């Protein structure tokens, strides 16, 4: 049966049937191809291979040999982490779990034939396909900026060389210079990410360039953990950060990467470093697969199956799933639900109701950590929030330090859950 959005939504019976009817292959084992070896994809590949104990053939397609986590990449900018400490390789997934790790780009998906074609020329067959390609940027969303300008005005919203470049540009600013950020519109990867980055940039500048200024042009009237960030900016970086929200023209912005200028609501400013974070959409392979509606790929929260093709599961940032923020924690949580559903469908193993959780920690200054989080359940319409929590303004220093330390433990845990 090919499910479309109309007959898939609310169709719990169809989902239950899909989960309990194992696919018996005429020959060999069922095959799962995972595209994207990040927070969603690496976790899903690892859990399917580990828990099926060799009963499912798992291939992971990922172009890079080292995955640099976006999570904690702001801490690298602030000087709290080295770049090496946020880089991870795929060796263990191959040696410990027998995952076939292919370093290549997926460039085509034939949903009828159930094949994935790779840039290198080979073709992979699948019984279930998992797509977790993260995000791509929407062309033209910031006037004057294209991907060709990413070396002059880095986005640093895919970690690695972009993050390294942005940090080098901040460090090279003249004394008293200006750093600008163009923040993205909703929805986007990591809601507190731009504001943690502002905090970490301010931390770096405070030590090396204390008279420097930071301008943020924001198309939104408010942002994640806003009260907490603004309190922290006042406490630690007083007078350094000028956040211009939508009501003050922050969304009316253009950049000129050659002239290194930023124009906010008609006012032109010459800047010394500029971080442009454009509007986002699902990683392009989702569009190529024909499973997007608008900018994102709609999924059922019960299984993370695409609402357009039941043989494809979409995880993480690329998915339109409901209430969860686009975060590494969310992608990892969704991956475990999808892995269980895929094993259930392909080997008949038991499937439990989907439950999800997320916490996003942010560091504002040394030992000043804050967090926001929630638990979620799958309904027929979406992944729905059950309850949540958020740090409070005015918290004691030892609680903030404990929150930061908690985030270090989380980082070790999630990266082990993806790669070890
Ligand atoms: P990704 O982790 O980006 O993985 C996608 C992978 O797919 C990439 O490795 C890419 O190379 C690969 N890929 C793409 N297209 C193809 C293709 N065609 N073929 C093969 N492979 C392909 N989240 C948190 O939980 N906590 C945080 O503290 C946090 N901080 C952040 C800070 C910053 C500055 C940023 C930018 C993000 C942060 N995030 C954080 C968000 C988190 O990084 C993402 O939400 C998470 O990585 C999403 O996982 P994903 O699997 O969807 O995508």
């Amino acid at each position: 049966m090919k499910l479309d959005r109309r007959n898939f939504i609310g169709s719990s019976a169809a989902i239950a049937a899909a989960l309990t009817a194992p696919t018996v292959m005429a020959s060999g084992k069922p095959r799962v191809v995972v595209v994207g070896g990040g927070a969603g994809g690496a976790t899903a590949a690892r859990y399917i291979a580990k828990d099926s104990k060799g009963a499912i053939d798992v291939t992971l397609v990922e172009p890079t040999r080292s995955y640099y986590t976006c999570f904690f990449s702001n801490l690298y900018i602030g000087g709290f982490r080295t770049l090496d400490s946020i880089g991870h390789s795929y060796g263990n997934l191959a040696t410990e779990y027998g995952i076939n790790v292919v370093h290549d780009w997926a460039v085509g998906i034939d949903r009828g034939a159930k094949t994935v074609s790779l840039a290198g020329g080979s073709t992979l067959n699948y019984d279930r396909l998992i797509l977790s390609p993260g995000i791509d940027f929407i062309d033209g969303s910031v006037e004057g900026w294209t991907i060709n300008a990413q070396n002059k005005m880095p986005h640093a919203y895919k970690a690695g060389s972009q993050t390294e470049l942005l940090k080098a540009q901040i460090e090279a600013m003249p004394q008293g210079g200006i750093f600008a950020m163009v923040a993205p519109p909703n929805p986007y990867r990591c809601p507190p990410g731009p504001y943690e980055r502002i905090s970490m940039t301010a931390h770096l500048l405070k030590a090396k360039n204390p008279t420097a200024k930071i301008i943020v042009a924001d198309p939104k009237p408010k942002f994640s953990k806003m009260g907490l960030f603004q309190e922290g900016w006042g406490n630690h970086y007083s007078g350094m950060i000028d956040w211009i929200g939508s009501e003050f023209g922050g969304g009316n912005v253009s950049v000129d990467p050659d002239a290194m200028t930023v124009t906010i609501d008609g006012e032109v400013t010459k800047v010394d470093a500029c971080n442009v974070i454009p509007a986002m959409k699902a990683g392009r392979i989702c569009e190529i697969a024909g499973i997007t509606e608008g900018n994102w790929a709609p999924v059922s929260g019960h299984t993370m199956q695409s609402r357009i093709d039941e043989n494809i599961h979409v995880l993480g940032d690329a998915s339109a799933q409901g209430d969860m923020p686009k975060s590494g924690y969310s992608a990892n949580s969704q991956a475990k639900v999808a892995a269980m559903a895929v094993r259930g469908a392909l080997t008949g193993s038991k499937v439990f109701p989907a439950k999800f959780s997320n916490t996003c920690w942010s560091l504002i200054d040394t030992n000043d950590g804050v967090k926001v989080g929630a638990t979620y359940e799958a309904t027929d319409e979406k992944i729905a929030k059950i309850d949540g929590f958020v740090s409070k303004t005015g918290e004691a220093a030892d609680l903030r330090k404990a929150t930061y330390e908690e985030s270090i433990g989380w980082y070790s845990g999630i990266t082990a859950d993806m790669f070890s």
Side-chain angles (χ1 to χ4, degrees), residues 339-407:
M340 182 173 58
V342 166
R343 282 197 306 115
L346 298 182
T347 67
S349 65
K350 194 159 170 48
V351 177
F352 298 93
K355 291 257 182 280
F356 306 87
S357 56
N358 177 64
T359 303
C360 286
W361 289 267
S362 303
L363 186 61
I364 302 178
D365 197 358
T366 308
N367 288 329
D368 192 358
V370 292
K371 63 180 175 182
V372 59
T375 55
Y376 305 84
E377 66 186 359
T379 68
D380 288 344
E381 285 71 39
K382 64 174 185 173
I383 297 180
K385 183 171 168 181
I386 302 171
D387 53 28
F389 54 87
V390 61
S391 298
K392 296 184 175 47
T393 52
E395 280 172 343
D398 56 349
L399 177 57
R400 291 296 178 86
K401 182 166 185 271
T403 301
Y404 171 54
E405 282 162 1
E406 204 177 273
S407 75

Side-chain angles (χ1 to χ4, degrees), residues 3-316:
L3 294 184
D4 62 24
R5 191 178 170 83
R6 200 164 290 121
N7 68 21
F8 197 97
I9 291 173
S11 166
S12 303
I15 293 161
L19 290 177
T20 50
T23 303
V24 181
M25 303 302 299
S27 64
K29 302 174 193 173
R31 290 153 304 187
V32 172
V33 173
V34 181
V35 172
T43 308
R46 181 171 171 275
Y47 271 78
I48 293 169
K50 178 166 74 73
D51 293 344
S52 73
K53 299 185 173 58
I56 298 176
D57 261 345
V58 182
T59 299
L60 175 63
V61 183
E62 163 62 49
T64 65
R65 285 172 193 275
S66 281
Y67 172 81
Y68 288 92
T69 58
C70 282
F71 24 110
F72 276 26
S73 66
N74 288 329
L75 274 63
Y76 158 71
I77 291 174
F80 293 89
R81 281 269 167 165
T82 62
L83 196 60
D84 276 358
S85 77
I86 60 166
H88 305 269
S89 67
Y90 295 91
N92 253 19
L93 295 185
T95 53
E96 291 294 313
Y97 308 107
I99 296 170
N100 178 27
V101 180
V102 178
H103 289 298
D104 205 342
W105 286 96
V107 290
I109 289 169
D110 182 334
R111 294 203 273 120
K114 296 213 258 179
T115 58
V116 178
S117 49
L118 306 183
S122 45
T123 301
L124 302 169
N125 295 293
Y126 66 82
D127 297 296
R128 287 292 169 107
L129 174 61
I130 296 180
L131 297 181
S132 195
I135 50 107
D136 272 312
F137 301 116
I138 298 177
D139 287 341
S141 61
V142 176
E143 194 187 328
W145 193 92
T146 67
I147 199 72
N148 296 327
Q150 67 174 344
N151 289 340
K152 285 186 175 148
M153 293 187 170
H155 53 78
Y157 237 62
K158 296 183 182 187
S161 57
Q162 272 280 300
T163 326
E164 207 172 7
L165 179 65
L166 182 64
K167 180 171 169 140
Q169 291 179 355
I170 297 166
E171 287 178 324
M173 282 169 53
Q175 289 298 308
I178 297 177
F179 170 85
M181 173 190 279
V182 179
N186 290 320
Y188 62 94
R189 152 177 287 190
C190 193
Y195 311 99
E196 183 186 58
R197 176 168 294 165
I198 288 302
S199 309
M200 291 295 94
T201 301
H203 176 84
L204 181 65
L205 290 172
K206 192 168 138 183
K208 294 182 185 253
N209 191 347
T211 54
K213 292 272 178 267
I214 296 175
I215 306 172
V216 189
D218 205 323
K220 307 181 289 298
K222 56 186 171 65
F223 57 83
S224 171
K225 294 186 262 191
M226 182 163 170
L228 294 164
F229 279 112
Q230 290 191 327
E231 177 194 55
W233 294 346
N235 288 344
H236 303 295
Y237 314 116
S238 180
M240 193 181 232
I241 300 167
D242 185 11
W243 177 78
I244 304 167
S246 57
E247 62 270 63
F248 301 103
N252 181 17
V253 67
S254 65
V255 297
D256 182 336
D258 292 324
M260 282 303 284
T261 57
V262 176
T263 305
I264 304 169
D265 214 22
E267 191 178 327
V268 184
T269 305
K270 178 100 176 74
V271 299
D272 300 291
C274 185
N275 176 204
V276 176
I277 310 175
M280 295 171 207
K281 61 180 182 180
R284 172 126 174 77
I285 194 69
C286 292
E287 237 170 276
I288 292 170
I291 54 155
T292 50
E293 278 177 7
N295 291 326
W296 309 101
V299 296
S300 157
H302 293 292
T303 57
M304 302 306 293
Q305 271 166 297
S306 160
R307 292 199 188 266
I308 294 167
D309 185 332
E310 64 181 335
N311 295 312
I312 300 180
H313 300 245
V314 188
L315 309 179

